[in-house]
Amino acid sequence: MRKLWLAAGIVLLLVMGTVLLTGCGRKEPVQKTVMVMDTVVTLTAVGEKADAAVRESIVRLQEIDGMASLHGENSDLKKLADAAGNGAWIPLHPEVFHMLEVSQEYSRISDGAWDVTAGPLVELWGIGTDKAKVPTETELAQAKAKTGWQKLELDPETKCARLREPGMSLDLGGIAKGFAADEVRKIYEQYGIRDGLINLGASSIYALGKNTKGGSWRVGIRHPRSEDKESRLGVVELSNAALSTSGDYERFFEQAGVRYHHILDPRTGRPANSGAVSDTIVVDGSLPDAGMISDLLTTAVFVLGPEEGKAFLGKLPTEVRGMICDRRLQLRTAHGFDEMLQQVQQDFSLAE
Ligand code: ADP
Ligand code: MG
């Protein structure tokens, strides 16, 4: 009889253990890393349908890549550039149209610090390519004449766009990854994924719910002046929010001791010389387009620089938090970013 009780007890314990593991315990995350949009993308998802969600997301990223780059048959940007100046309206994918609508709004409020018509300047400098060079003054003036966000026209009725002058072209390099992060988040939602991390390089990270251990996701922010790529400025805990970082260390070349990097000031046509070396923006997931906005804002705020960038952020909704690191490694923050920042490395201090 005692043996029977013992056996029943063991069975009960086993059943309880299984219930705990499958019912209350956390499922194994699905994680995939792919190279898309010129970036190492890592998608992590937890949930019954995580595998399908991640697979569909990768297909979606490849689609966005096709739409948002200047090359490829399906490229709206190529069609727009080819028709620039001839007056024709070009029908756009609704996704591209949406990116441009949001983009124009931020060009307006940043007074042109953010400008997707910087295409000819991006092309001229070629930073990050093997054709990178310092252009002549004439080349700069010519390229600058082909830029200007007011010369990009959008028609919300027909979702068409046109570029007013010949030689104009768009560059979505500072916004497309953020948009893509938003799209992956929507796919995760459709598949009932509440916990996950969408990582499109430092440029765009979207954290959903909890990490695989049940805590907030912890995202390290790179030290902008350390040779060691693993060295951190600090760490931010993130849940249901998008985070982007831009810096002059990402893509640059040096000539005669000057660093020429990939964040251009549309007003001068040159790499922004604003005093910022990196900036990080966190946008709460309650705001629509959180990923896209965090991505484009890092570029805009970098161009504006530490002081102006901080003032600019201060005027945005409080769901937008940000930090700018200057050349002396002093940090300026907006809307309580300093409270989110942990494990600040000793090289950095908060500006007065
Ligand atoms: P990444 O994360 O790929 O390094 P960022 O988010 O930092 O990119 O944005 C920089 C990219 O945005 C540049 O490579 C260029 O394509 C584009 N860009 C550069 N300057 C501007 C600007 N002032 N406005 C809009 N886009 C810009
Ligand atoms: Mg950006």
Side-chain angles (χ1 to χ4, degrees), residues 110-130:
S110 71
D111 206 10
W114 167 260
D115 188 346
V116 282
T117 69
L121 289 168
V122 174
E123 174 81 8
L124 177 66
W125 285 91
I127 292 164
T129 72
D130 50 10

Side-chain angles (χ1 to χ4, degrees), residues 81-86 120 142 145-147 151 163-169:
D82 288 348
N86 76 8
Q142 282 168 349
K146 295 178 203 150
T147 65
K151 293 186 274 188
L163 293 166
R164 220 180 282 158
E165 278 166 34
M168 286 183 76
S169 65

Side-chain angles (χ1 to χ4, degrees), residues 27-64:
K27 297 214 165 49
E28 277 302 300
V30 170
Q31 190 171 75
K32 280 202 170 71
T33 298
V34 287
M35 187 74 197
V36 61
M37 305 181 83
D38 267 340
T39 308
V40 180
V41 174
T42 301
L43 300 181
T44 309
V46 186
E48 301 239 333
K49 298 179 186 160
D51 201 42
V54 167
R55 262 187 284 131
E56 187 172 323
S57 298
I58 291 169
V59 173
R60 184 76 183 126
L61 291 175
Q62 285 157 346
E63 271 171 22
I64 296 168

Side-chain angles (χ1 to χ4, degrees), residues 113-115 171 173-174 177 203 246 250-251 262-264 266 295 299:
W114 167 260
D115 188 346
D171 181 294
K177 280 178 274 179
S203 183
S246 280
E250 278 174 55
R251 272 180 279 151
H262 72 314
I263 302 167
L264 304 178
D295 193 8
T299 306

Side-chain angles (χ1 to χ4, degrees), residues 114 173-175 203 244-246 294-299:
W114 167 260
I175 187 172
S203 183
S244 292
T245 297
S246 280
S294 68
D295 193 8
L296 75 86
L297 279 178
T298 53
T299 306

